[in-house]
Amino acid sequence: MSKAAPLPAHLEARGFLVSEAYAAGVPRWRLESTGLLTPSRGLRLAKGTQPDLELLARLHTGVTQRCAVSHVTSALLWPLPLPLSVQAAATELGLIHITRRAEIGRIKRRGVVGHRAPLLARDVRTVNGYSLTSPEWTWVDLAGMLGRDALVAAGDAMLSRTAPLSSVKAIQEVVNRRPKVKGIRLAREVLPLLRHGVDSPQESRLRMKILDAGLPEPAVTQPIHDEGGHYVSTPDLQYKEYRIALEYEGEHHRTDAIQWGRDIERDDRLRGIGWTVLRFSKLQLGRGWPASELKLRRALAERGWRGPAS
């Protein structure tokens, strides 16, 4: 058998456990050949492989018993929206977070940020052959790593309109069980701000900016019907009392001609039944926010809003 001889077909070509290779009859010298790399003890990667998080998750949870991928790594795998800076840092460092039950001890191995926690069986899920902490447990972990708005966006994503990952009740249960974890005060503060039905993290960010400006909180993704009961539209955010719809337009709305046309038709339908439509983009949520806030404030005043209750 030469160094160039292929490995058994049932081993993952990009990476595998050393124990799996031995069980398949692969000799030790073959595992030390120049075509394989050792990212951490007990693991092998094919040279030139750019391992993704799922591969690393399968390998590390396979080589270490009774553990689960956690923190930022778990959030990316679910996936939950994270600030680009957090995503970039996680990718560039090439580290994955792994949590073990508190009584077992923290993992200490190359490529891993180890944690200990009182995980229960319901706090760990198995997805695509690897274990990771539940969305609720992951969200509480993120409270020690993210700011308020980013934590709201992650929580809103868990309660999304399509394929929600969790519920407020389930998140609350984990918050109650982890009174001393880092970031728990922020988690408690943010939990009442989470809303069902949010379609994007930018919508969450827009809602937080509106609240911070002292303006009334808009409703999330509620359908609008005309006087005859016919469906008209489901804006991202809205003030039904004042007949004002707020739409966040992502990049695909601008670059997709068909989507752009649908957006125009949608807004025309709303205006046709007496609604005001205000549109926001990345620019309006950034340096353009002061002007956007003023525009929204004026629209509310024109429709009868008299300011916050004293």
Side-chain angles (χ1 to χ4, degrees):
M1 180 177 179
S2 68
K3 292 184 179 181
L7 292 163
H10 68 273
L11 289 181
E12 163 68 56
R14 295 180 303 153
F16 52 87
L17 304 182
V18 168
S19 60
E20 293 175 335
Y22 284 156
V26 178
R28 181 174 180 176
W29 68 264
R30 179 64 179 87
L31 299 179
E32 296 175 352
S33 67
T34 57
L36 296 173
L37 302 176
T38 304
S40 191
R41 67 181 182 276
L43 310 179
R44 293 293 186 273
L45 291 177
K47 193 172 184 179
T49 294
Q50 292 296 326
D52 56 36
L53 283 181
E54 286 208 338
L55 175 59
L56 290 174
R58 282 195 294 272
L59 293 176
H60 281 288
T61 58
V63 77
T64 303
Q65 298 300 308
R66 292 183 290 177
C67 69
V69 175
S70 62
H71 294 77
V72 173
T73 315
S74 179
L76 291 170
L77 287 168
W78 271 114
L80 300 179
L82 296 176
L84 292 178
S85 59
V86 175
Q87 294 185 44
T91 302
E92 290 171 6
L93 291 175
L95 300 174
I96 69 170
H97 292 257
I98 300 280
T99 294
R100 295 181 80 182
R101 290 180 60 87
E103 64 271 21
I104 300 175
R106 184 180 286 108
I107 296 174
K108 296 180 180 179
R109 62 166 47 245
R110 183 160 26 119
V112 169
V113 180
H115 305 270
R116 295 191 306 165
L119 291 170
L120 302 178
R122 65 177 179 270
D123 299 321
V124 178
R125 310 285 173 79
T126 299
V127 178
N128 297 331
Y130 57 86
S131 298
L132 72 167
T133 51
S134 69
E136 303 83 27
W137 190 278
T138 301
W139 186 80
V140 175
D141 281 340
L142 291 177
M145 309 172 77
L146 303 180
R148 186 203 65 172
D149 289 2
L151 192 61
V152 168
D156 283 351
M158 291 163 53
L159 309 176
S160 66
R161 210 170 8 161
T162 58
L165 294 172
S166 188
S167 67
V168 170
K169 182 179 179 180
I171 300 171
Q172 181 72 68
E173 190 273 333
V174 175
V175 168
N176 292 343
R177 276 197 288 126
R178 306 185 69 188
K180 296 182 180 180
V181 72
K182 179 181 179 181
I184 194 63
R185 291 180 63 183
L186 179 61
R188 290 171 177 152
E189 173 190 332
V190 165
L191 186 56
L193 299 174
L194 304 187
R195 298 291 179 267
H196 290 275
V198 179
D199 288 331
S200 77
Q202 295 300 341
E203 291 173 27
S204 300
R205 185 181 174 200
L206 173 58
R207 183 164 51 87
M208 289 300 98
K209 280 187 166 293
I210 290 171
L211 291 178
D212 287 344
L215 299 172
E217 180 178 357
V220 174
T221 55
Q222 297 296 315
I224 295 172
H225 299 83
D226 63 19
E227 292 182 356
H230 301 103
Y231 174 77
V232 177
S233 179
T234 302
D236 296 330
L237 301 168
Q238 65 172 277
Y239 296 102
K240 184 175 182 180
E241 177 184 357
Y242 304 112
R243 300 172 75 81
I244 297 174
L246 314 178
E247 297 283 5
Y248 180 82
E249 312 292 5
E251 283 298 301
H252 71 283
H253 289 263
R254 180 179 61 83
T255 58
D256 186 329
I258 294 177
Q259 182 64 57
W260 184 257
R262 289 172 178 167
D263 292 345
I264 292 173
E265 293 173 352
R266 171 203 68 198
D267 295 349
D268 286 344
R269 289 196 302 271
L270 283 169
R271 294 186 180 107
I273 61 171
W275 281 65
T276 294
V277 180
L278 302 180
R279 302 171 74 177
F280 301 82
S281 70
K282 182 178 179 180
L283 174 64
Q284 278 71 50
L285 266 61
R287 65 176 183 273
W289 176 246
S292 296
E293 178 193 331
L294 180 59
K295 178 175 65 175
L296 175 55
R297 191 177 293 275
R298 285 174 174 170
L300 285 165
E302 289 171 1
R303 290 298 177 96
W305 181 62
R306 294 294 176 255
S310 58

